[in-house]
């Protein structure tokens, strides 16, 4: 939140309900940033899986090394392809869940903005710079 010059501030007293709404907005904003960061990481993982799938399609051998966690596993090309497909499905599901959560957060924030701006006007800053 930003401090405004005295002439722009309203004289509205901050009630407990107002403080609860401000705190809720702040918690939602923090979670929104976490969700967006998680979505970015998942999108990068999906890109890497897509690259790996492309490499597997171009491979000509029966045996490939699959990197999981911090270890390499010797496996067949078919098993590695199946693993990549399962991971893509799992990550796309996570991505959809996060997108739905983000939409819910944005909706809740819009409601809180209406309440808080109607109460405090220009004396409260809820927009990010």
């Amino acid at each position: 939140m930003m401090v405004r010059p005295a002439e722009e501030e309203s004289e509205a007293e901050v009630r407990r309900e107002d403080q609860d709404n401000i705190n809720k907005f702040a918690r939602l904003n923090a979670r929104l940033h976490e969700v967006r960061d998680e979505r970015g990481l998942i999108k990068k993982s999906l890109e890497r899986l897509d690259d790996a799938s492309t490499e597997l399609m171009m491979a000509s051998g029966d045996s490939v090394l699959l990197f999981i966690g911090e270890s390499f596993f010797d496996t067949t090309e078919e098993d590695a392809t199946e693993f990549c497909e399962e991971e893509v499905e799992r990550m796309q599901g996570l991505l959809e869940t996060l997108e739905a959560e983000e939409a819910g957060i944005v909706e809740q924030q819009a409601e809180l903005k209406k309440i808080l701006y109607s109460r405090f006007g220009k004396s409260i800053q809820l927009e990010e710079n």
Side-chain angles (χ1 to χ4, degrees):
M1 283 184 239
M2 231 170 82
V3 177
R4 300 280 184 175
E7 61 272 3
E8 288 185 19
E9 291 184 12
S10 73
E11 296 298 319
E13 184 178 322
V14 179
R15 302 174 302 203
R16 176 71 181 166
E17 176 186 347
D18 299 329
Q19 189 61 52
D20 289 344
N21 284 336
I22 292 168
N23 292 344
K24 183 176 182 180
F25 185 88
R27 284 191 304 274
L28 287 170
N29 199 48
R31 180 62 186 149
L32 181 63
H33 286 281
E34 290 172 3
V35 166
R36 287 179 176 165
D37 290 345
E38 287 178 48
R39 281 184 51 215
L41 293 173
I42 289 173
K43 285 182 179 181
K44 286 180 184 178
S45 293
L46 282 170
E47 289 175 16
R48 286 194 301 270
L49 282 168
D50 184 49
D51 292 345
S53 295
T54 303
E55 288 294 321
L56 284 169
M57 285 184 219
M58 292 190 284
S60 61
D62 286 336
S63 181
V64 295
L65 291 175
L66 184 61
F67 185 66
I68 301 175
E70 296 182 11
S71 303
F72 285 97
F73 296 94
D74 191 24
T75 187
T76 65
E77 188 177 324
E78 184 178 307
D79 288 341
T81 301
E82 184 179 324
F83 174 80
C84 286
E85 290 170 355
E86 289 172 0
E87 280 296 296
V88 166
E89 286 179 26
R90 184 181 70 80
M91 289 192 178
Q92 285 176 336
L94 286 173
L95 197 58
E96 289 171 5
T97 302
L98 290 172
E99 288 170 350
E101 183 178 354
E102 180 180 357
I105 289 171
V106 169
E107 188 177 309
Q108 288 178 24
Q109 282 185 321
E111 289 300 315
L112 288 169
K113 282 180 184 180
K114 286 179 193 175
I115 293 167
L116 293 169
Y117 280 136
S118 69
R119 174 96 169 106
F120 296 104
K122 291 182 178 182
S123 65
I124 190 167
Q125 174 63 37
L126 301 173
E127 303 299 323
E128 293 188 45
N129 297 334

